[in-house]
Amino acid sequence: MKKVFSIISILALMLAVASCGDDEGGKRGGDVVRSIKVINHVVETKAGEVKPLTASEIDYTLNRDNMTISLVIRVKLDGVNETTVKLNDIQMTENKGVCSFKTSASGIENLKGHLDFNEATLRLNYYINGTYRVIATTPEVYSTKCSTSCLYSDGKTSTSSGPMYQYVINPDDLSAKVVVMDLIDQQAKRQLLSIKSHTSAKVTVTPEGYVIEAEQLPTSTSYMLNGKVTTTVMYPIADLKATIDLENDKYDASMLLGSITLTASGSVNN
């Protein structure tokens, strides 16, 4: 099941994908120019100080003839004043809808990025003036095909590698909506397609990424049973603690999902 993304991000990248296809007559020429919202996780490297989480717009231009990308990066390193960096004609490679690239330039070092048209995400890792480490991601941070263990109230257990977890982060109030997808409730013989929280969890910014916690999150759950899709509120989330390590691309979480004690581990996929 596809992940849940902001409508604006989806539409922008769908348009980009359409533009990246062959033009009428089989020609590929021309640029694709788009903007995308990102959240900037900034750490002052020497002191290890975590700066306030902020959102910004990144502009990108894809040149389909030369397979290059140009970027206008905007980031508030101190949480207030915006720094703008322009990078032109970075060579990129493309593999199944994912454009990857890397460069260093005046004032910016070790930039690594990928633009994933399949999942509608942009990821940039870079350093500015040797002083700040920045990881920019779209607001939807997720882990796919996550190793998940379920402990039921009767003591029975099950494991799965299929579930996906998404956290839609709001940098203004440091909160996150939670989505769990493609989880099998073995006891009820249900395929839980999508479990979406109605309220937000608390986000704590760490030097490596985020810790997301909540005591209670009411949810709506769509599940499939005997070929029929039903919506229920039977799977509220409680005692949530999720650790998102952007530095090392690791994800770990524990929560009570209805009466199921759930633990998960995997990688950050954007």
Side-chain angles (χ1 to χ4, degrees), residues 195-217:
I195 306 163
K196 302 178 183 179
S197 69
H198 295 310
T199 57
S200 297
K202 175 187 175 183
V203 175
T204 301
V205 184
T206 68
E208 295 80 21
Y210 312 114
V211 174
I212 300 174
E213 297 174 286
E215 292 183 2
Q216 294 285 340
L217 293 175

Side-chain angles (χ1 to χ4, degrees), residues 11-182:
L11 290 177
L13 286 172
M14 283 178 65
L15 288 170
V17 173
S19 299
C20 278
D22 287 350
D23 296 332
E24 187 176 353
K27 297 180 180 179
R28 289 183 41 143
D31 291 341
V32 177
V33 182
R34 297 287 181 266
S35 293
I36 190 167
K37 180 181 178 180
V38 297
I39 295 177
N40 298 295
H41 185 282
V42 181
V43 175
E44 187 177 355
T45 53
K46 187 174 182 180
E49 180 185 356
V50 183
K51 297 298 182 179
L53 201 63
T54 59
S56 65
E57 293 284 334
I58 291 181
D59 303 332
Y60 64 89
T61 302
L62 299 179
N63 185 298
R64 295 169 293 174
D65 293 324
N66 299 327
M67 285 298 291
T68 60
I69 185 170
S70 297
L71 298 167
V72 179
I73 299 172
R74 301 177 183 89
V75 57
K76 294 178 180 179
L77 298 171
D78 57 3
V80 179
N81 300 302
E82 191 166 76
T83 297
T84 301
V85 178
K86 297 182 180 180
L87 300 169
N88 295 320
D89 301 326
I90 307 167
Q91 201 69 43
M92 64 182 182
T93 58
E94 188 273 338
N95 182 30
K96 296 181 180 179
V98 180
C99 296
S100 300
F101 48 91
K102 58 183 179 179
T103 192
S104 291
S106 178
I108 196 164
E109 301 92 34
N110 298 324
L111 181 140
K112 297 179 182 179
H114 63 259
L115 182 64
D116 188 335
F117 291 122
N118 304 308
E119 307 296 354
T121 60
L122 173 71
R123 167 76 176 257
L124 297 177
N125 291 45
Y126 59 94
Y127 291 81
I128 290 186
N129 296 323
T131 303
Y132 298 97
R133 189 272 285 139
V134 183
I135 301 176
T137 67
T138 42
E140 303 86 1
V141 180
Y142 62 89
S143 178
T144 64
K145 296 184 178 179
C146 208
S147 177
T148 299
S149 298
C150 294
L151 172 63
Y152 298 93
S153 55
D154 62 1
K156 293 182 179 180
T157 62
S158 67
T159 59
S160 174
S161 61
M164 298 180 281
Y165 302 85
Q166 178 178 275
Y167 299 86
V168 185
I169 296 174
N170 184 338
D172 296 329
D173 62 3
L174 293 179
S175 68
K177 290 288 186 70
V178 182
V179 185
V180 181
M181 290 157 281
D182 287 347

